[in-house]
Structures are given as C-alpha cells and as structure tokens.
Amino acid sequence: MGNEDWAQDKINAWLAQGDLAPEHVILRLDKNVEGSYAIQQDEREPLQAAFASASTPAPSGNDRVLTESSFVSLLHAKAALPRCPDGVAAGRIIYETLGYLSTLPFPRRNSQSQSQGDGLSLAQIKRALAWALPDRWRHIVEQGNFSRIRTGHDRQRLLFQSLATGTAPSSTQDEIRTRARSLARRHAFDVPEMFSDFSVVNNDEDGDEIYHDLLDILYSTQEVKDISLSPVHRDAFRNIAKQIKGEEQIPELHTLAIPAQRFKDLVKVLLALQTEPINEGDIVKPSEFEDAAQAVCAAFTREDGVITWPSFSHALENSAPHLLDPLYRLLSLALLGKGSPIEVLDAPEAPSEVPEGSILTLPRASQIVSIFAETFDAGALQRIAHYTSPRLTAPSTFIQAIQNVPDEAIVLFSGRTTAEASARKGELCIFGLFSPAPKKDGSRIQSTTEIDPDNAGQQSCALFQLAPVQDVFRGVVGAAGWSLVTDAEGRESVVFGQTGAAESPEEQKGGMTLTLRDGLQRAEIRHWGKGVDEDTNESRAEGIVYKANSRRGDWALEFAVENIEIWSEPKE
C-alpha cells in the first residue's frame, strides 16, 4: 500500500469514527493546550484563580463560565482598563475577540451565547489565549517537514478576523483576494533562517489562510498511537479540510472587514494605555484620545471606509507596529498575573515634563510610542527647543539645534493646511522627524546595527505623520537625512529628503520629501507612492531618502508652520 493510500485509509477511518467532527477536534486541541506550555506553568495558578473569582455557574449547571460583564470587571480591577463608557466598550470588543478565537479552527461568532448568557469556559479562554498571545501557537501546532511553520503574521491575522464583524463590499473582494494572496507569499517566508525549510504559502488554489488554519489543526491534533510511525502528512488532509470548510460554512478571508467605528472604539483605549500614568491614581480618559485614534484608524481604513486584512496588515506593520501591545498586556495582567507576555514591551511612563500648549500632548506621545516604542524612553523626554510663528529661528540654527541634542531627536512640526487642492484648508497637520543618531543622520542615515547592535528592535531615521493620518516614511540607510539648501536669491530652506528634486514622478517614484521654506514658515510635503510594489523596493527610484507609503499614491500638501519642537532624552 502506498503512502497516499495509507494516509487516506487513516483519514477515512477517523471520519467514520467521528474523530474529525469539530467537537472532537476541539477536544484534542484542548489536550494540546493542557499538555504544553501554551499556558506556562507560572501562569496556570493565576489563571485558575482569576477565573474562579469572576466566573459564575453556566445556565446548564455543568460548568462555570466567564460572562462579558464579569470579564470587563476583571479588566477594570486587574489591568487598569479605564472605568468609563469608552473602557467598557473596548472591554466588550476584547471579550468578543476571545470568544471568536476560542472557536478556531472552526471560526464562528457566538455573540448571542457568549455575550448574553452562557459566557466562556476556562477551556475556551485557554484556547483563545493560545491563539492571541505572541509565540504561543508553536506549543499547539506542529511544525516540521510534514507541515509548515506559522509566523507572527498569522497571529495578527487571527486578531483581524476576530475584529472583523463586517463584510467587504462585493465589488472589491476580487482585488482584496489578490492582495491577500500576495501578502501570504511574503509572510510565509518571514521566519528565522533556521526555519525557512518549513515555510509554506498558506493561500493557494485549495483555499485561503482560514482554510490552511484548519489544515494545521487537523494535522496537529491527529491521534498518533505509535510515535515510531510517521504521522499522516498535512497535505493529506486537504480534501477533508475542503469538505469540512463547506459543511461548517467557514468564511473566506477576503470577504471580512472591520467596521471603522468598531476599530476606533478599541484604538482609543489602546492609545490611552500605551503609557503608564505619571502618578499612581491618575485617571486615564480615553475621550482625550479621540483625534489621535482617528488619525491611527485612517492609516488602517481603505477609501471605501472599511478595514480589510491587507489594509490592516500594512498599517500594523508600517504605521503602528506597537499598537496592539496594550491589548496583550491587558490579557496578561487580567488573566495570567503578569505584566507583559514574551515579545511585548512593558508600557513606558508618560512624558512627565510637558509644557502647556506643547505639540507633544499625551495622545500624540502615545501615537509616537505606537511607532517607535523600542527605540526611546517616552518618560524621559524633555523639550530641548521650541519655536513659534512668526518668530521661528533661522534654518541653519534649527539644523544645529537638532544635531546638538543629547540623545535621539524627535522633531515635531504643526500647522494648518493652506492649499485647498491637497487637503481641506485649515486642517491640522502634524509631521515629525525621528533621528536616533542626529549628529550623524543628517549627512548619512545610520543603520540599526551602527546605532545599537544589541537592540533587535532599533529603528533608523524616519519621517512620520501624526495628523490627520498616522504614517511613517522610513529613511534609506546611507542617504543624507536632511540638508540646508540655498536658492539663487540666497534664501535658505531645510530639506528632509532629496535635494534638487526632479519634477518627473518616475525620478521620485517611491519617495517623499518634507521641505521647510520661507524661514521655516511654510512646509511642503511631496509624496510619490503610486505604482510602488508593497512587497519589494524594486519599483522605487534610485536616490530617494524617505520611502513613500505605496497605499497612499501620489499627493502633495502644504501647511503654514505654527510650532516646531525638538525633544530628546538627557544623557545619564
């Protein structure tokens, strides 16, 4: 008997015995969770205690469950979730997220049973945490020559799915499917080199990522009675997985979308929790983060007003890589008795010395933390220089001030748009520069290893935007980060990006520049993102300094500069 026949006979036997029914697959998945470090040894007792203290008897009387209201109360008591309507709304969304994750690999929304009565059992919570928290999947999903290796993108995708209560417009679904497949090809190989042989693209002609999640679990939960024998390979489950997908009415990824308001309700609280309060007992007010949350959500939202997996993935990777850190901390504090899970940073303290009227309000500082958390200490920031229109400093003096700061430089520019063609006139704009090595980045942007070889999360020089959209424009290592340019009439400008920029879009393709003219009074932004491949840099023009966001196309913006601030950390 050949291997394929042997494998099919095994699968047929399991099918006949009911072993591949969803309830039995879930039981074996729970066994994987219990018999592994998906929930670590030092977390089990705190989780049991938290569940015992907050759970109530299920209506059936056979188990105890954690209801939505009890879960939100637990977040208030143990994880400092703000005690206000905004905090409650976010807590409910997180509860629904856990409920969704607990159903995997047979995703469904049991909002009626979970949110309005039955609640979540301890087994469901453990299962959900194994999917939600970083680096836990490897304890419940087998990886090797007969399967595939999962990546951090898979975890982010599952969180997207858990938030996606809406449906993408049918007219856009083909385009979303194409983009998702392209993402899958890139994400599959985003693993340490030692695991690259286990990389498999999880979106193909048989099915998308949700289908491949089912394949992963069918393979990983098969009964192996003799460990000396080879297991049934993952690919052998493809046909039965397609059958189960149809029977269980499992949706396809390209049809899912997060409603923008739902995401904003969550983001508002995540931004409020990006930093620790300066003084114990300080009350965090998510309502103060409304504008910041709107800017962040704009980075995730498509022009048609919904958030799809490709738009979510792109923004999370490029514009707000640390946005979800507070979510992981909330779950860990409330349920596992520890502050931050592995791979998640502790929340920094909020800046303590912020003069009144600063650009760097707490909400704006939280936005910057969501981008650059690993590269600076927010609590230690001090304002080194402040220039206000109409008495802004000379361009040469401004550049010298950047290069004289004691540590990294965070430079902020704020003002109101003046060109109606590029934005609504009078709209608030906030742009910034992050330079971890300001004494060197001006003449040559430093690589991360040149800055701090011991910090795996170190980031290089970048321009960023905080309003009306949050975005990041990464600097190209080796390029000159900024320059002082004098025109034929002797007027000085400061250019962050290419100097003497050509008018041809092709010569600028994939780049962006920020230019301060008229004695720093006027800011011009030129962005050339149209036609750039999001997955490679091959389509970008040579000589660019800061990389454009390919999702935002070509655009220009001008604003009257009202304030400029330079922030840094004092040397110890």
Side-chain angles (χ1 to χ4, degrees):
M1 182 183 295
N3 287 339
E4 291 184 6
D5 293 337
W6 170 82
Q8 191 57 54
D9 285 348
K10 294 279 286 184
I11 291 173
N12 289 341
W14 290 330
L15 196 59
Q17 296 164 11
D19 290 341
L20 298 184
E23 60 271 22
H24 290 142
V25 173
I26 290 292
L27 285 174
R28 293 195 299 276
L29 180 58
D30 286 343
K31 185 177 178 182
N32 284 8
V33 173
E34 288 296 331
S36 70
Y37 288 99
I39 306 298
Q40 297 167 8
Q41 290 296 327
D42 63 339
E43 297 168 343
R44 298 190 177 199
E45 186 175 332
L47 176 57
Q48 183 70 50
F51 183 79
S53 68
S55 61
T56 55
S60 64
N62 297 326
D63 203 352
R64 294 183 67 83
V65 293
L66 186 64
T67 63
E68 180 189 84
S69 60
S70 295
F71 175 73
V72 173
S73 295
L74 199 61
L75 291 178
H76 287 320
K78 293 197 170 187
L81 180 73
R83 296 176 182 270
C84 61
D86 286 329
V88 172
R92 288 172 174 169
I93 293 172
I94 296 170
Y95 182 80
E96 292 170 12
T97 290
L98 292 181
Y100 176 92
L101 295 176
S102 74
T103 69
L104 298 179
F106 309 101
R108 58 179 57 86
R109 299 194 180 279
N110 296 333
S111 57
Q112 293 299 312
S113 62
Q114 292 167 354
S115 299
Q116 299 178 16
D118 290 356
L120 297 172
S121 69
L122 182 57
Q124 287 176 302
I125 290 172
K126 289 179 180 179
R127 201 184 310 141
L129 291 175
W131 290 121
L133 296 178
D135 208 39
R136 303 301 178 102
W137 61 264
R138 67 182 70 251
H139 299 293
I140 60 173
V141 179
E142 295 288 338
Q143 62 185 26
N145 294 333
F146 305 143
S147 59
R148 78 174 186 100
I149 185 170
R150 295 177 68 89
T151 73
H153 301 287
D154 287 306
R155 171 174 46 81
Q156 294 169 358
R157 172 178 52 78
L158 294 181
L159 288 171
F160 162 80
Q161 291 173 209
S162 73
L163 294 168
T165 57
T167 302
S170 57
S171 60
T172 66
Q173 289 183 9
D174 286 344
E175 176 248 318
I176 296 168
R177 181 195 287 113
T178 299
R179 180 67 193 125
R181 184 166 292 185
S182 175
L183 268 182
R185 287 194 292 269
R186 176 164 64 88
H187 288 168
F189 297 93
D190 189 10
V191 297
E193 187 176 351
M194 63 185 294
F195 296 118
S196 60
D197 289 344
F198 303 152
S199 295
V200 174
V201 178
N202 58 332
N203 187 319
D204 53 31
E205 294 305 318
D206 281 344
D208 66 7
E209 292 89 333
I210 300 178
Y211 161 81
H212 280 268
D213 288 341
L214 177 57
L215 267 184
D216 288 344
I217 295 304
L218 291 177
Y219 169 78
S220 300
T221 58
Q222 64 179 290
E223 293 282 3
V224 179
K225 295 182 178 179
D226 187 343
I227 60 174
S228 66
L229 298 177
S230 172
V232 174
H233 295 189
R234 178 180 180 273
D235 283 346
F237 289 96
R238 283 179 176 262
N239 287 335
I240 188 61
K242 284 190 278 190
Q243 179 182 326
I244 294 173
K245 176 188 172 185
E247 293 172 350
E248 296 299 314
Q249 299 182 325
I250 293 176
E252 296 191 329
L253 183 61
H254 70 276
T255 67
L256 304 180
I258 305 174
Q261 186 59 52
R262 173 180 172 82
F263 191 57
K264 184 179 176 181
D265 290 343
L266 177 62
V267 168
K268 199 186 307 181
V269 172
L270 294 182
L271 286 175
L273 298 177
Q274 284 286 341
T275 60
E276 292 285 354
I278 300 170
N279 301 307
E280 187 175 349
D282 284 355
I283 298 175
V284 178
K285 298 178 181 178
S287 59
E288 297 176 355
F289 292 76
E290 180 79 20
D291 290 345
Q294 182 62 46
V296 172
C297 290
F300 285 77
T301 307
R302 290 164 47 102
E303 291 182 359
D304 53 15
V306 297
I307 301 169
T308 63
W309 165 234
S311 70
F312 182 91
S313 175
H314 181 86
L316 193 61
E317 184 175 355
N318 296 283
S319 302
H322 293 281
L323 178 65
L324 297 179
D325 285 4
L327 171 61
Y328 304 132
R329 290 193 290 262
L330 282 170
L331 293 175
S332 188
L333 280 166
L335 298 172
L336 303 180
K338 57 174 61 172
S340 296
I342 295 174
E343 296 188 10
V344 177
L345 299 173
D346 291 336
E349 289 187 358
S352 58
E353 300 181 19
V354 180
E356 186 175 352
S358 293
I359 305 173
L360 191 72
T361 60
L362 180 57
R364 300 306 180 188
S366 293
Q367 285 182 259
I368 297 174
V369 171
S370 77
I371 303 170
F372 301 110
E374 294 164 305
T375 57
F376 76 106
D377 180 2
L381 285 179
Q382 294 182 1
R383 195 170 75 178
I384 306 299
H386 178 215
Y387 310 107
T388 303
S389 180
R391 291 185 295 275
L392 297 172
T393 189
S396 56
T397 304
F398 169 61
I399 286 181
Q400 195 60 51
I402 295 175
Q403 297 175 171
N404 284 346
V405 299
D407 205 317
E408 77 284 292
I410 295 176
V411 187
L412 299 174
F413 314 94
S414 73
R416 300 281 171 176
T417 54
T418 55
E420 293 187 16
S422 59
R424 288 176 295 181
K425 191 172 183 179
E427 186 173 37
L428 175 66
C429 283
I430 302 176
F431 282 80
L433 166 76
F434 172 77
S435 173
K439 290 178 173 58
K440 299 179 179 179
D441 283 334
S443 58
R444 179 183 178 278
I445 293 177
Q446 303 293 290
S447 68
T448 57
T449 54
E450 289 174 312
I451 300 164
D452 186 352
D454 298 323
N455 182 358
Q458 179 65 52
Q459 298 186 45
S460 292
C461 183
L463 292 174
F464 59 89
Q465 182 180 5
L466 300 182
V469 181
Q470 178 164 313
D471 209 346
V472 185
F473 314 99
R474 308 286 176 182
V476 176
V477 172
W482 52 85
S483 304
L484 183 66
V485 177
T486 304
D487 65 16
E489 298 179 4
R491 293 173 300 193
E492 292 182 331
S493 298
V494 178
V495 179
F496 298 90
Q498 291 165 277
T499 57
E503 294 299 323
S504 168
E506 284 302 313
E507 295 181 51
Q508 297 283 5
K509 187 176 180 181
M512 72 87 67
T513 62
L514 187 159
T515 304
L516 299 174
R517 302 188 187 278
D518 300 341
L520 311 183
Q521 300 280 351
R522 180 165 59 94
E524 295 179 356
I525 292 88
R526 299 291 183 267
H527 182 278
W528 296 272
K530 186 177 180 180
V532 175
D533 189 330
E534 293 184 26
D535 296 327
T536 72
N537 289 320
E538 294 176 359
S539 55
R540 296 183 189 272
E542 292 186 9
I544 64 171
V545 179
Y546 295 99
K547 296 178 183 179
N549 180 344
S550 57
R551 287 191 62 237
R552 296 180 66 185
D554 294 351
W555 51 272
L557 183 146
E558 296 183 12
F559 64 92
V561 178
E562 297 173 354
N563 288 280
I564 299 175
E565 296 177 353
I566 302 175
W567 295 75
S568 187
E569 298 175 51
K571 284 291 187 182
E572 296 181 359

